[in-house]
Amino acid sequence: MTDLLQSVVNGLLIGAVFALVAVGLTLIYGVMDVINFAHGEMVMLGMYTSFFAWSLLGLDPLLSIPLAGVSIALTGALMYFGAVGRVLGRSPLAQVIVTFGLQVFLRGLAQFLWTPNTRTVPRPWAAGLRWEIGPVVIGGPQVIMAVGALLATGAVAYFMNRTRLGGAVRAAGEDPAAASLMGIDPRKMYALCWVIAGLATGVAGALLMNSYSASPTAGVSFVLMAFVVVAFGGFGSITGAALAGLLVGVAQGVVGLYAPSYTLAAALALYLVVVLVRPQGLLGTR
Amino acid sequence: MRKITSITAVLVLAAALAGCGGSDGAGATDEVKLAGLWPLSGPNATQGTDVLHGAELAVEIVNNDHPGLDLPLGPGKGLPGLGGAPVKLITGDTQGKPEVGAGEVDRLVTGEKVAAVIGSYQSGVTLTASQRAERLGVPFVNEASSSVALTERGLKWFFRTGPTDETFARSMFDYLKARQAAGDQIRSVGVFHSNDQFGNDGAGVTEKVAAEAGLPVSVNVGFDPTAADLGSQVAQVRSKSPDVLFVLAYTDAAIKLMKTLDQLDYYPPALLAYGTGFADPAFATGLGALADGASTRAAWSGEIAEKRPAAKTVAELFQQRYGAPMTENSARAFTAVLALAQAIDTAKSVEPAKIRDALRGLDIPGDKTIMPWTGIRFDDKGQNTGAAGVVEQMIEGKYRVVFPAELSSVQPIWPMNKAQQ
């Protein structure tokens, strides 16, 4: 029973991180209909930013959150204006190839610049914290990552659903032609999506450095879950992604306790069930 | 019309490439060409380059005169059996991919006409590359792949100088026996392994050797190598509280495991890893004090250099040449290349079949190597029966040999979490 409780708590905490990683992915898909295969690489770049802020400037990963957020937001803008924006309106295959190409390029670049070595922040501030609630032990990094991820996810959801600019982004996604008649430039809104996705992944990367290691392939395990989460929550739905992230986290945690080899299979099985029973996902509309 | 042009272009290109291969392969009969296949790019490039450095140093020692060095082919230039012919190492990049490794064997054997192949660090790549060498009838000497299955295939051209996971497991259980004799309580063991070829094979070997040693395996957890969180998996181990936890994990998971043990504040009395992630320098640098207490098997240790003069000289040469300390990977590659060179020297020929027969008959005593081995002698499966491992424990940020006793200079810390206080 103790172990089950522990696993559920672990699952909820890691699930919040899955949700934050999924936010940018679902946003770009929802507004632009583009699947960003380089999303995990944006997380990876965020992790490296945070790592170098620690190794060169001595900043704790918590303090490098703004730096990583802004850096990857700029990277997102660069990716949009430099590559993705140029194939908008072309065949979906061209878009897939461009984002896939970015994935290969960024991963190769990271390996070239920083070697494939694993980089870890040995003792982040959060690692000194630990709570024991009854028999359940909760590590500081896990709590910090989860709280940070929920706050950041909430902020993006608030921006998209409650502000005028967020409304404009959604309008550009719903009907670009009608939106431009209302004075909204869809291309600017698309660029904004990439900036927000960059911000979210940068923040996620810095949060992850509290417990994880940066390497050129560090984004892979999170982005795989993010794809499951996005499909599960409903493509384009941020609240759906948050909910789905937590559910996938708990499912993995519980399965990890009883059948540790099948955590990935469990997440993908959950995804398969959703696709068969409710193809639009938990909160998706189409 | 365009189609014809492009077909012509392809044909011309193919002819040009074929011409290149031909002119390269011909001539040069006086030097002995060996192929070295390693992951020189991709995620394992760091280890691959380190392995390459070990092999290069061995070639350097064969080709140049090292009068004071007490190793075969150390003194004198080149291979005396072939009139002093120098050895040339031609490298191929496997990128860490099994199919690329096999392709490179083709290229180097048919194009470059190498006499033998050395490689390929990762067990999965060694598997396919050595199968291709078998088909081409060229000896394949493996330096550092430890998967037991490699020498169970009945190949006729495959030789492994290094220990297998089973050899390593035996060394680790010998260590446990020594601990029991010293009064530490060991009633059951657990296995925590990456759910892939490396992890599953290693877990199987551990269970087999544990059964022989009469120790029950109370928990066997295979985790998904891409899992973001290992909390539940560690909770499962904790619920069975084994006295010793055997671990098979790559760097990322190894670091994750040590952090999870710290966060859950649960440590088994001993953690014994099968190298890999635990042997990666990033493990110690990334974890700092959290790494203290973990033990791992190792094929080589810098401390061996303190007991053997030849190992000391080689380690110093390595440090001079590459500005980095010799590691177990470079030491294993060094030893494999030297053993192969000695076999070619004995064969007095670059004919693959004669080299193979010389490898079969090879008998190098342990003190003529830089390894903690009893020697190099291959059994009929191609496995070196003299290979063995040592056990090291991370003490104050450095791996120190704790077993066998004759090579160690420190006492093991048991239970492991005492190392962190």
Side-chain angles (χ1 to χ4, degrees):
Chain A
M1 195 59 211
T2 305
D3 295 325
L4 183 62
L5 212 58
Q6 179 82 53
S7 301
V8 170
V9 171
N10 283 349
L12 279 173
L13 296 176
I14 191 71
V17 178
F18 291 158
L20 177 59
V21 175
V23 158
L25 198 63
T26 201
L27 182 66
I28 289 174
Y29 181 82
V31 175
M32 297 173 64
D33 261 346
V34 170
I35 297 177
N36 179 18
F37 285 103
H39 194 72
E41 281 51 47
M42 293 167 82
V43 176
M44 175 268 288
L45 290 176
M47 293 175 81
Y48 271 111
T49 311
S50 174
F51 173 79
F52 285 115
W54 170 79
S55 76
L56 302 176
L57 309 173
L59 286 183
D60 188 84
L62 278 181
L63 298 177
S64 62
I65 289 176
L67 177 71
V70 171
S71 307
I72 311 308
L74 289 176
T75 312
L78 203 66
M79 286 162 78
Y80 175 77
F81 288 113
V84 181
R86 291 165 191 264
V87 292
L88 273 189
R90 308 274 179 79
S91 76
L93 187 62
Q95 297 169 356
V96 167
I97 290 172
V98 163
T99 64
F100 192 76
L102 278 172
Q103 179 205 84
V104 176
F105 171 74
L106 290 175
R107 209 180 279 180
L109 187 72
Q111 190 182 316
F112 176 73
L113 292 178
W114 307 313
T115 76
N117 288 356
T118 310
R119 319 278 187 132
T120 316
V121 176
R123 270 268 162 193
W125 173 79
L129 304 176
R130 186 194 339 239
W131 293 276
E132 288 181 33
I133 303 168
V136 177
V137 187
I138 307 175
Q142 275 61 32
V143 172
I144 299 276
M145 286 192 295
V147 170
L150 286 179
L151 287 177
T153 309
V156 177
Y158 177 83
F159 170 79
M160 286 299 289
N161 299 330
R162 294 274 184 273
T163 65
R164 276 177 66 85
L165 191 56
V169 174
R170 277 187 293 137
E174 294 278 326
D175 190 338
S180 54
L181 288 177
M182 302 293 147
I184 299 169
D185 180 350
R187 292 197 165 238
K188 277 192 187 148
M189 297 300 118
Y190 294 161
L192 188 59
C193 281
W194 280 81
V195 169
I196 295 171
L199 200 61
T201 43
V203 169
L207 285 170
L208 286 173
M209 283 314 282
N210 278 300
S211 181
Y212 292 91
S213 312
S215 72
T217 50
V220 175
S221 54
F222 295 98
V223 85
L224 187 61
M225 282 306 111
F227 274 109
V228 172
V229 165
V230 166
F232 188 9
F235 274 97
S237 166
I238 291 172
T239 326
L243 198 60
L246 295 176
L247 284 173
V248 168
V250 171
Q252 284 211 335
V254 173
V255 171
L257 184 62
Y258 298 106
S261 310
Y262 297 99
T263 48
L264 183 61
L268 296 174
L270 203 60
Y271 166 70
L272 264 184
V273 170
V274 171
V275 170
L276 290 174
V277 177
R278 197 177 153 81
Q280 71 274 38
L282 286 177
L283 301 180
T285 46
R286 50 182 145 167
Chain B
M1 191 58 211
R2 250 169 79 189
K3 208 172 197 173
I4 295 175
T5 324
S6 56
I7 290 173
T8 320
V10 168
L11 286 177
V12 168
L13 192 67
L17 285 176
C20 283
S23 64
D24 262 11
T29 46
D30 48 352
E31 61 184 11
V32 179
K33 287 186 182 179
L34 302 179
L37 282 185
W38 294 294
L40 302 175
S41 67
N44 287 101
T46 321
Q47 291 93 323
T49 311
D50 183 37
V51 172
L52 168 67
H53 287 164
E56 279 178 351
L57 183 63
V59 169
E60 201 271 335
I61 283 174
V62 170
N63 289 348
N64 295 299
D65 189 17
H66 290 269
L69 187 58
D70 188 21
L71 286 178
L73 305 175
K77 288 188 180 183
L79 302 174
L82 282 168
V87 172
K88 187 181 178 196
L89 186 70
I90 302 172
T91 55
D93 180 8
T94 66
Q95 301 168 27
K97 295 175 184 161
E99 70 282 5
V100 179
E104 285 292 285
V105 171
D106 265 339
R107 180 179 74 83
L108 292 165
V109 171
T110 53
E112 299 280 356
K113 309 268 186 286
V114 296
V117 185
I118 304 138
S120 308
Y121 182 63
Q122 292 137 300
S123 292
V125 185
T126 303
L127 187 81
T128 57
S130 57
Q131 255 153 10
R132 192 62 60 92
E134 180 86 7
R135 203 183 308 156
L136 295 168
V138 168
F140 191 107
V141 179
N142 169 254
E143 77 300 76
S145 307
S146 53
S147 165
V148 176
L150 289 172
T151 35
E152 298 297 324
R153 294 174 296 171
L155 297 192
K156 304 213 155 26
W157 298 85
F158 184 73
F159 299 88
R160 164 159 52 193
T161 48
T164 67
D165 284 329
E166 192 167 327
T167 325
F168 280 129
R170 284 184 205 289
S171 299
M172 288 195 277
F173 276 93
D174 286 345
Y175 169 59
L176 295 185
K177 259 179 232 150
R179 291 317 306 163
Q180 281 177 321
D184 290 318
Q185 203 169 46
I186 305 170
R187 290 150 306 184
S188 71
V189 301
V191 185
F192 196 76
H193 66 95
S194 185
N195 187 22
D196 51 21
Q197 169 113 39
F198 154 68
N200 294 338
D201 285 358
V205 166
T206 311
E207 287 191 313
K208 180 182 158 195
V209 181
E212 288 169 14
L215 281 170
V217 176
S218 63
V219 59
N220 186 346
V221 174
F223 62 90
D224 175 3
T226 63
D229 187 78
L230 293 176
S232 312
Q233 290 84 337
V234 170
Q236 202 192 7
V237 173
R238 183 180 63 180
S239 69
K240 298 289 189 328
S241 56
D243 292 314
V244 178
L245 186 62
F246 285 89
V247 181
L248 296 110
Y250 290 101
T251 309
D252 209 39
I255 292 176
K256 236 177 256 173
L257 170 64
M258 295 307 287
K259 288 198 164 192
T260 310
L261 292 177
D262 173 55
Q263 274 150 19
L264 295 182
D265 197 22
Y266 159 74
Y267 285 94
L271 185 157
L272 286 182
Y274 283 81
T276 337
F278 289 78
D280 186 337
F283 176 77
T285 53
L287 283 167
L290 282 189
D292 279 346
S295 302
T296 180
R297 52 84 160 157
W300 189 79
S301 152
E303 285 179 60
I304 293 163
E306 284 159 28
K307 319 267 172 179
R308 293 234 182 111
K312 190 165 193 257
T313 315
V314 170
E316 280 166 4
L317 282 173
F318 191 92
Q319 177 76 38
Q320 273 169 28
R321 232 174 119 101
Y322 303 107
M326 193 165 212
T327 66
E328 63 164 357
N329 290 331
S330 33
R332 282 195 275 186
F334 177 90
T335 307
V337 171
L338 214 54
L340 176 60
Q342 211 189 350
I344 296 173
D345 188 55
T346 319
K348 296 188 170 47
S349 164
V350 290
E351 232 175 89
K354 289 198 174 144
I355 297 176
R356 182 192 61 185
D357 295 343
L359 279 167
R360 287 225 176 108
L362 203 64
D363 186 358
I364 305 176
D367 57 3
K368 295 281 178 193
T369 71
I370 61 164
M371 308 304 282
W373 298 351
T374 57
I376 304 177
R377 278 170 295 272
F378 295 105
D379 63 16
D380 46 6
K381 291 170 178 172
Q383 173 59 39
N384 174 18
T385 53
V390 299
V391 179
E392 297 178 322
Q393 189 173 29
M394 182 72 77
I395 298 172
E396 285 165 13
K398 260 187 97 169
Y399 273 124
R400 305 295 302 271
V401 176
V402 291
F403 183 83
E406 62 267 24
L407 285 175
S408 76
S409 43
V410 292
Q411 279 297 313
I413 296 179
W414 194 297
M416 67 178 286
N417 57 356
K418 245 170 56 189
Q420 299 194 341
Q421 284 152 12

